[in-house]
Amino acid sequence: MSSDPRVALRDVTPADADLLDAWATDGERSAFNDFGVPYQPVPREVVERGPLRNERNGMLVVQLVATGEPIGTVSWHRVDYGPNAESLAWNVGIELRSEWRGQGLGSEAQRLLARYLFETTGVNRVEASTDVENVAEQRALEKAGFVREGVARGAQYRQGRFHDIVTYAVLRGEV
């Protein structure tokens, strides 16, 4: 990978709401991200008030540095491994448009997201999980600096059956 960044992350703006809604309903969603749950449109009033991020979750747009074109999103949600604040972690996800997959852009975006979360929050751990059959995402996470930790059997229900997922994580100071 070149040292020049090819993607950047930015907050979702009101101008993005229609685009994100169109992406979510155009049939291009990866089967690994399709949970069969009815789509909830981007909440315009929330986007108008400020960024789509809070103490529980968030979303950023992935865009090409060269053109500013949006190519997908990254998101995160809170995971608690104990009752104290020090046991908080973030679980991250990504969804790139199909024409931008397989080019290393997802790895770059996930590395940027982990750095962003370490810089803006006190967590020690950022993790991601993916279907055991999603080899491309496993490679992307490894390229982004995440370490494979293990398999959670039957942890995810999708497409009418339970799926095993692989968990990856990166710790503060590792990216």
Side-chain angles (χ1 to χ4, degrees), residues 40-110:
Q40 299 294 316
V42 173
R44 274 38 177 198
E45 65 283 353
V46 174
V47 176
E48 291 287 340
R49 283 195 309 264
L52 282 182
R53 51 189 158 89
N54 58 41
E55 67 281 350
R56 292 177 315 279
N57 56 41
M59 176 186 282
L60 298 170
V61 171
V62 180
Q63 69 180 25
L64 296 175
V65 169
T67 64
E69 177 185 356
I71 63 167
T73 59
V74 290
S75 60
W76 63 94
H77 67 271
R78 179 180 169 145
V79 178
D80 294 292
Y81 286 102
N84 55 336
E86 294 81 8
S87 297
L88 167 71
W90 296 114
N91 184 288
V92 300
I94 187 166
E95 188 150 8
L96 293 183
R97 301 296 291 165
S98 62
E99 65 268 25
W100 298 105
R101 296 178 198 147
Q103 301 174 44
L105 301 172
S107 292
E108 193 174 329
Q110 289 175 108

